[in-house]
Amino acid sequence: MSTIHNIAINGPVWRLSSGEAMRLPRESRARWLRLRSGRLWVTADRHPNGGNSDLLDDCWLGAGDTLRLEAGESAVAEAWPSASFEVLEAAPMR
């Protein structure tokens, strides 16, 4: 099994203020949310085609925490009260 460190490329740092939310749409590759500071409330849609409320997963992330989103999953992240985070992606297959 691979780790984030050897299959991820760094992305930009996103910043959300109190009450701001950001949608992370479905992607064809796995991604990781890595929280740098603050707290995030994340609702991940674990159903690859969407539309099934039984597969929604709510969780809190604190500074240093990481959450994996599989290929085909989407999420909404909301700052509580503020947060900065990175979205890391799996390297493309060659």
Side-chain angles (χ1 to χ4, degrees), residues 3-47:
T3 65
I4 291 172
H5 303 293
N6 65 13
I7 65 170
I9 51 177
N10 284 325
V13 175
W14 299 94
R15 290 178 178 79
L16 297 176
S17 298
S18 182
E20 286 186 316
M22 177 180 179
R23 183 175 177 274
L24 300 161
R26 297 176 200 294
E27 295 287 339
S28 60
R29 295 184 292 190
R31 294 166 292 164
W32 293 263
L33 289 155
R34 182 167 59 192
L35 196 61
R36 292 179 145 216
S37 65
R39 284 183 11 173
L40 276 180
W41 177 17
V42 181
T43 300
D45 182 352
R46 303 292 188 184
H47 191 274

